[in-house]
Amino acid sequence: MLYMEISTWEPEKRDLILEHFKEIKVPAGVKVHDQWVDLTGSRYFILYECDDAEAFAAFNLPWSDICYIETVPVMKSTDFISVMSRKY
């Protein structure tokens, strides 16, 4: 499944976030497609694929003490339209 995550943090945690980024390791079972940083500060966006609950947890839990993570399952709009056209 494809996920879009938006991570936000308090400005005073910036240095902790930067240290985490330097040490980030993507676990087996997670395929990162792309990542973006909000240039106005305190937000990070990542699009990745994962079908393994353990890999999902290993990827997110190390961040849970310093930022808020909103995870949204997504799909390309063309794929969505195709799926919905077959069903309805």
Side-chain angles (χ1 to χ4, degrees):
M1 178 158 274
L2 200 57
Y3 297 97
M4 171 63 76
E5 284 191 350
I6 304 166
S7 299
T8 57
W9 56 88
E10 302 300 327
E12 63 271 8
K13 293 194 176 180
R14 183 198 66 208
D15 292 343
L16 289 171
I17 294 293
L18 289 173
E19 288 305 312
H20 264 57
F21 271 118
K22 289 177 187 175
E23 299 173 14
I24 192 170
K25 292 177 179 53
V26 178
V30 173
K31 179 183 176 187
V32 174
H33 289 276
D34 216 337
Q35 308 168 67
W36 304 269
V37 175
D38 178 351
L39 296 178
T40 63
S42 302
R43 281 195 308 183
Y44 168 73
F45 304 86
I46 183 168
L47 179 67
Y48 67 94
E49 204 168 330
C50 183
D51 292 322
D52 180 324
E54 280 188 45
F56 181 88
F59 194 50
N60 283 290
L61 286 176
W63 295 88
S64 64
D65 62 336
I66 60 171
C67 66
Y68 306 101
I69 302 172
E70 178 183 1
T71 305
V72 181
V74 297
M75 70 175 13
K76 288 184 176 183
S77 59
T78 53
D79 294 341
F80 177 77
I81 290 167
S82 176
V83 168
M84 298 317 292
S85 295
R86 289 191 304 259
K87 293 191 180 260
Y88 300 101

